[in-house]
Amino acid sequence: MSFLLPFAAFLAIAMGVAHSVLGERYILMRLFRRPGLPKLFGGTEFTTRTLRFAWHVTSIAWFGFAALLLQAGGEGAADSRVLATVGLTFIASGVLPLACTRGRHLSWLVMFAIGGIALWCAR
């Protein structure tokens, strides 16, 4: 079981990197080229910066969860609660792409794997 938490952390990091790199290339850049973006605070620059920040902050959160998974390898009750929280968060997060895309966006598989590993190790 000692390899499970580092593996879950690796999955979270890989998902964060893929989310940022692929999202920037295939979603954000294409979105920003389109005409008609809302003009907030006088122009579209604030809009694009806000969308970019909101997109990438998700990846940063996943990196933080990866750190929690690595740190929670102990046997204490606090570590079990942290792992249970991380696990339930990833399971709940996986339900959204599963339901909203009817399973076509495969991130739910990785989120369920991370959540399942964290919950398994929390017991």
Side-chain angles (χ1 to χ4, degrees), residues 22-88:
L22 297 176
E24 185 71 39
R25 181 171 180 182
Y26 293 108
I27 296 175
L28 294 178
M29 294 303 293
R30 292 176 182 183
L31 177 67
F32 297 155
R33 282 189 227 134
R34 296 180 63 127
L37 282 178
K39 293 181 180 180
L40 301 175
F41 295 108
T44 59
E45 182 180 1
F46 182 79
T47 304
T48 58
R49 287 179 182 227
T50 301
L51 289 171
R52 184 166 274 131
F53 143 73
W55 186 271
H56 293 294
V57 76
T58 305
S59 297
I60 292 169
W62 289 334
F63 299 153
F65 277 117
L68 287 174
L69 288 165
L70 290 173
Q71 293 172 9
E75 298 293 327
D79 291 330
S80 292
R81 290 191 302 264
V82 168
L83 285 172
T85 301
V86 170
L88 291 173

Side-chain angles (χ1 to χ4, degrees), residues 3-16 62-71 90 114 117:
F3 73 94
L4 288 177
L5 290 176
F7 179 66
F10 167 78
L11 289 176
I13 291 168
M15 187 170 58
W62 289 334
F63 299 153
F65 277 117
L68 287 174
L69 288 165
L70 290 173
Q71 293 172 9
F90 271 100
I114 296 167
I117 290 169

